[in-house]
Amino acid sequence: MRYVAVYSILLVIVTVIAIPAFIVQGVSDWGRQPAAAGFPVVYRGEDITIKVYVHDIKQVVAMNLEDYVKGVVAAEMPAEFEPEALKAQAVAARTYAVKHMALFGGTGSSEYPGADVTTDHNDSQAWQNETVLRNKWGQNYAKYWGKVSQAANETRGLIITYKGEPINAVFHSTSGGKTASAQEVWGFDYPYLQSVACTWDQKSPRYQDTKEITLAELEVRLGADAGILAAAQSGGSASIAGIIDYTNSGRVNKVRIGTKTLSGLEVRQKLELRSTNFSVAPAGNTLIFKTFGYGHGVGLCQYGANGQAKESRDFRQILTHYYTGTAIKNIFGS
């Protein structure tokens, strides 16, 4: 009986102390799953902080990564777009951020030490705060912010990877029928940034544009050494310009204007064209540039994404179409 009593006492001790300790340990670790391979240990439910250089106030601001993603989606994509297109943009925006964050091994902003990213779309991704969005959306603020928030919340933690690493998830407005590869635009190759067909962006208001530029203005923009006016006087306007060759995606690679041979990118920048997918034709004392698409043309096509969403394709299908050979992973490991 004495042994029974001892065992009974021990059982009570185990019940009172050990089991509650196990329960407490179980609760504290609930949902704490290791991150995907190649990423630091990040636990579900924990806030991830990103350091953003905000140009409006010229300061580095620490903010929650998911709040940052919402501000990027709101700034970069029309809130009227389909939910699956907004989700695709949210995942691309989060991926771009993670790729540059010091926490995940990124180098951060080269121009603003201490910042992972900036709010300048020329340097990083655009981002807008509540005040700007209220002014932009007016009475639709609650509706549109709800859509953007839902897109970010329903893709929380998801990023695009290639061979287990976050990709450089660049995007643009309108492809003009076919996206460009990174190689043809920037001169370096990414296996996941290849040219792909895009037939879903034809309803974009930026799909096609025409710009007429006088020969005098051309000479100002390209320089007197281009000899544009002299060429016009000696050979007529038809001899002023001609496209030499094209890239694999059909964009202008090299073009002759006057005595200069320029890249399509140089012409786009100097003449402020919408894209390098253009034709050029003389008309009296002017040249007419007809462009297709808007932006550099690499990666996700935003209007194409919306067109795909209208055809019931989900954000995963949209993203893996534009980013060749990629997979969607969760930085929380599931």
Side-chain angles (χ1 to χ4, degrees):
M1 292 295 292
R2 185 176 63 181
Y3 293 112
V4 172
V6 171
Y7 289 144
S8 298
I9 293 171
L10 289 174
L11 180 61
V12 170
I13 292 173
V14 170
T15 303
V16 172
I17 298 176
I19 292 179
F22 172 79
I23 293 174
V24 170
Q25 180 67 29
V27 170
S28 65
D29 282 347
W30 183 85
R32 295 171 71 87
Q33 303 178 35
F39 297 110
V41 177
V42 179
Y43 295 114
R44 184 176 299 281
E46 291 186 4
D47 288 337
I48 299 175
T49 299
I50 184 171
K51 296 177 181 178
V52 184
Y53 181 84
V54 181
H55 282 266
D56 289 346
I57 60 175
K58 295 179 171 56
Q59 290 182 6
V60 175
V61 177
M63 63 181 74
N64 179 276
L65 174 61
E66 296 304 317
D67 290 338
Y68 167 75
V69 168
K70 294 172 187 177
V72 172
V73 175
E76 292 281 11
M77 178 173 274
E80 299 90 342
F81 274 19
E82 296 292 316
E84 292 302 312
L86 292 170
K87 290 179 187 178
Q89 182 69 69
V91 177
R94 186 181 298 107
T95 304
Y96 186 93
V98 167
K99 178 75 172 176
H100 291 81
M101 288 175 65
L103 174 65
F104 294 94
T107 57
S109 171
S110 58
E111 189 173 355
Y112 301 99
D116 294 312
V117 293
T118 80
T119 59
D120 181 5
H121 73 277
N122 292 311
D123 174 62
S124 188
Q125 302 182 112
W127 174 87
Q128 292 175 338
N129 62 26
E130 180 181 346
T131 300
V132 173
L133 293 174
R134 284 187 179 277
N135 289 333
K136 181 170 76 171
W137 290 335
Q139 62 183 8
N140 290 317
Y141 173 80
K143 172 186 175 182
Y144 289 158
W145 182 249
K147 286 184 66 178
V148 167
S149 296
Q150 183 176 3
N153 292 339
E154 292 185 2
T155 61
R156 184 177 183 274
L158 297 183
I159 63 170
I160 314 158
T161 64
Y162 182 80
K163 293 186 176 180
E165 297 294 328
I167 70 167
N168 189 14
V170 294
F171 50 86
H172 63 281
S173 168
T174 307
S175 73
K178 194 173 187 180
T179 69
S181 69
Q183 178 68 48
E184 66 185 80
V185 176
W186 297 307
F188 44 84
D189 185 46
Y190 285 109
Y192 52 82
L193 293 178
Q194 301 300 313
S195 175
V196 298
C198 179
T199 59
W200 301 277
D201 63 348
Q202 294 180 12
K203 292 185 178 180
S204 167
R206 296 169 170 175
Y207 187 80
Q208 183 176 315
D209 183 59
T210 300
K211 187 169 188 175
E212 190 170 334
I213 304 177
T214 66
L215 302 184
E217 184 180 354
L218 276 172
E219 188 144 298
V220 170
R221 293 197 181 203
L222 300 181
D225 58 332
I228 294 171
L229 295 178
Q233 290 173 356
S234 62
S237 60
S239 65
I240 295 172
I243 295 173
I244 298 172
D245 61 1
Y246 298 88
T247 66
N248 291 335
S249 69
R251 289 164 170 79
V252 173
N253 183 39
K254 295 291 183 181
V255 59
R256 177 188 54 78
I257 301 181
T259 60
K260 284 188 173 181
T261 297
L262 303 166
S263 70
L265 182 59
E266 287 178 301
V267 172
R268 183 198 172 200
Q269 292 172 337
K270 291 178 182 294
L271 303 185
E272 298 179 312
L273 303 180
R274 289 189 169 186
S275 77
T276 57
N277 187 357
F278 63 82
S279 63
V280 56
N285 67 340
T286 67
L287 288 184
I288 297 176
F289 292 85
K290 187 175 183 179
T291 59
F292 293 89
Y294 185 78
H296 50 64
V298 184
L300 173 73
C301 170
Q302 293 172 315
Y303 274 89
N306 197 48
Q308 290 196 55
K310 287 179 180 293
E311 294 184 3
S312 300
R313 292 171 67 88
D314 66 26
F315 74 93
R316 294 175 184 270
Q317 293 172 307
I318 293 169
L319 291 171
T320 53
H321 174 76
Y322 290 113
Y323 302 112
T324 307
T326 59
I328 309 298
K329 301 291 185 182
N330 196 317
I331 57 177
F332 297 109
S334 63

